[in-house]
Amino acid sequence: MANIAKLFTVRANTLLQAAARQPQVATRFSSTANNWEFIKTEVTGEKNNVAVITLNRPKALNALCNGLMKELSTALKAYGKDANISAIVLTGSEKAFAAGADIKEMAPNTYSQCIQGNFLNDWTEVARTQKPIIAAVNGYALGGGCELAMMCDIIYAGDKAKFGQPEIALGTIPGAGGTQRLTRVVGKSKAMEMCLTGNMINAQEAEKVGLVSKVIPADQLLGEAVKLGEKIGTHSNLIVQLCKEAVNTAYETTLQEGLKFERRTFHATFSTADRKEGMQAFVEKRPAKFTSE
Ligand SMILES: C=C(C)C(=O)SCCNC(=O)CCNC(=O)[C@H](O)C(C)(C)COP(=O)(O)OP(=O)(O)OC[C@H]1O[C@@H](n2cnc3c(N)ncnc32)[C@H](O)[C@@H]1OP(=O)(O)O
C-alpha cells in the first residue's frame, strides 16, 4: 500500500514538473482553435503575447497538404491582426517539423493545373506575415518543410533536426523558395549540393552554414523559442515590424537600395511615440513603456 502511495506521489510530481515546463495556455483564439484539423494554436508567455502554432498531422509527418496550409494561413492572418501578439512560434512534432508538400496529394497535378491554380502561391502568406515568426524545428524539415522554416524570420533547431531539399529525387525541383532563399542563406555551393543531391544536413551543420541561429536540446526547443518571442515582445511591436521589414529588404534588393530603405525607415522611427519613449527611458534610467504608436 505504501509502495502504491509512493508511486502515485512520484507520478503526480512528474506530471506537475512536466506541466510546469509546458508554456501556459491561454484561452485567446480558442473559438477557432477547437476547429482546427491540421494545426494546434495557443497563446503563451508570461505576458500572453506569444502565439504558438503547432503543425499537427502526425500520420503524414506534417506533410503540408492544402488543408494544412489553409489553416496555417488563417491562423497567421488572425495572429497578425491581434495587437496583443508580439511574436509567433511555428513548430511541429519531435519527429517532423514538416516532411514537405504532400506528395500523394500533388502527384496527380498536371502542368496546366499547376499554372492555372498557381500551385504553392498561397504558401507565401507565411513570408507576408508582418510579425516576427520563429520556426522551432525538431526532426525532419524537408522540401516544403525546409522552405516553410526559411519563410520564418529566425530558425531554432532541435539537436536531432534534419534539413533537406529532396525534391530532385521525386523528379521535380523546390517550388517554394528552396533554390532561392536557401542559396541566399547558405551560398551557392552548399545550396547546389543540397538541391542537386537531395542529401540532408543535420542541425549542427545547419547552424554552421547559417541556416539556423541556434541548436538546442530537442526537449527544450519550444521553451527556448517562446522565450525568444517573449524577448522580442519586450520591445515596441511597431518598431519590431519596421526592423523586420528592413532586414528582409536585404534579401530582396541591392545593397544601395537596401541602405536607402534602412535609412528612411530609421528616420521614420523618429516620428513615433515609441522612439521618444525608448530614448527618454534610457536617459531617465527606467524601463521603457512602449505603446506601438
Ligand atoms: C514543395 C515540394 C515540391 C515538396 O516538398 S516535395 C516533398 C519533399 N519531401 C520529401 O520528399 C520527403 C518524403 N518523406 C520521406 O522521405 C520519409 O517519409 C522520411 C521523412 C525520410 C521519413 O521516413 P520514415 O521515418 O521511414 O517514415 P515514412 O514511413 O516514410 O513516413 C510516415 C508516413 O508519412 C507519409 N509521408 C512522409 N512524407 C510525406 C510527404 N511529403 N507527403 C505525403 N506523405 C508523406 C508517408 O507516406 C507515410 O505514410 P503511410 O504510413 O501512410 O505510408
Side-chain angles (χ1 to χ4, degrees):
M1 193 63 186
N3 275 350
I4 292 177
K6 194 173 160 202
L7 196 69
F8 182 77
T9 313
V10 170
R11 173 86 182 124
N13 283 343
T14 313
L15 285 175
L16 282 174
Q17 282 160 7
R21 280 198 303 272
Q22 290 297 316
Q24 266 187 337
V25 179
T27 48
R28 185 144 15 102
F29 211 35
S30 60
S31 55
T32 40
N34 294 334
N35 298 331
W36 301 125
E37 187 181 353
F38 301 113
I39 62 173
K40 287 193 277 184
T41 55
E42 61 187 25
V43 174
T44 187
E46 267 178 31
K47 291 188 188 157
N48 269 333
N49 62 348
V50 179
V52 176
I53 303 176
T54 305
L55 306 179
N56 183 33
R57 201 186 167 210
K59 282 187 187 148
L61 302 182
N62 292 333
L64 305 165
C65 61
N66 286 330
L68 186 153
M69 290 310 292
K70 279 206 179 94
E71 289 189 359
L72 179 57
S73 266
T74 305
L76 284 173
K77 271 191 206 149
Y79 285 134
K81 283 187 203 140
D82 187 336
N84 297 306
I85 296 296
S86 301
I88 300 164
V89 173
L90 179 62
T91 194
S93 70
E94 200 168 328
K95 176 148 189 199
F97 176 73
D102 189 318
I103 300 169
K104 294 167 193 169
E105 189 179 71
M106 82 177 129
N109 283 3
T110 63
Y111 174 65
S112 79
Q113 280 169 342
C114 285
I115 293 276
Q116 290 178 76
N118 205 355
F119 182 43
L120 298 188
N121 189 50
D122 45 355
W123 286 27
T124 42
E125 188 59 46
V126 183
R128 272 202 297 262
T129 307
Q130 290 181 313
K131 295 203 170 143
I133 312 189
I134 302 149
V137 176
N138 267 326
Y140 295 112
L142 301 179
C146 187
E147 292 169 314
L148 182 60
M150 288 190 292
M151 285 179 211
C152 298
D153 301 308
I154 299 170
I155 308 179
Y156 272 10
D159 53 359
K160 304 276 179 337
K162 287 199 159 77
F163 297 83
Q165 298 292 158
E167 291 89 343
I168 199 84
L170 299 169
T172 184
I173 72 165
T179 65
Q180 303 300 302
R181 288 198 178 92
L182 185 66
T183 307
R184 283 169 196 239
V185 174
V186 305
K188 179 176 165 183
S189 182
K190 183 49 86 181
M192 200 64 100
E193 187 187 346
M194 287 173 71
C195 291
L196 296 187
T197 63
N199 288 348
M200 299 180 210
I201 59 170
N202 63 25
Q204 292 69 25
E205 192 171 359
E207 186 183 27
K208 201 173 76 190
V209 296
L211 180 57
V212 312
S213 55
K214 218 179 207 179
V215 179
I216 293 162
D219 59 342
Q220 293 162 31
L221 176 68
L222 184 56
E224 289 300 313
V226 168
K227 268 193 220 158
L228 177 66
E230 287 187 281
K231 171 71 194 187
I232 293 169
T234 62
H235 304 307
S236 156
N237 288 351
L238 172 68
I239 306 297
V240 163
Q241 184 181 321
L242 292 177
C243 192
K244 166 172 166 161
E245 236 177 278
V247 175
N248 273 337
T249 302
Y251 279 97
E252 287 153 14
T253 189
T254 62
L255 180 61
Q256 277 316 310
E257 287 298 314
L259 287 170
K260 202 162 135 193
F261 181 85
E262 179 195 73
R263 184 65 47 80
R264 284 291 173 251
T265 307
F266 167 67
H267 292 161
T269 65
F270 282 75
S271 67
T272 68
D274 279 352
R275 195 280 311 162
K276 273 193 206 122
E277 165 63 8
M279 293 191 181
Q280 192 65 31
F282 175 82
V283 173
E284 291 171 9
K285 299 186 188 298
R286 60 169 175 83
K289 279 194 200 133
F290 294 121
T291 56
S292 288
E293 282 175 14

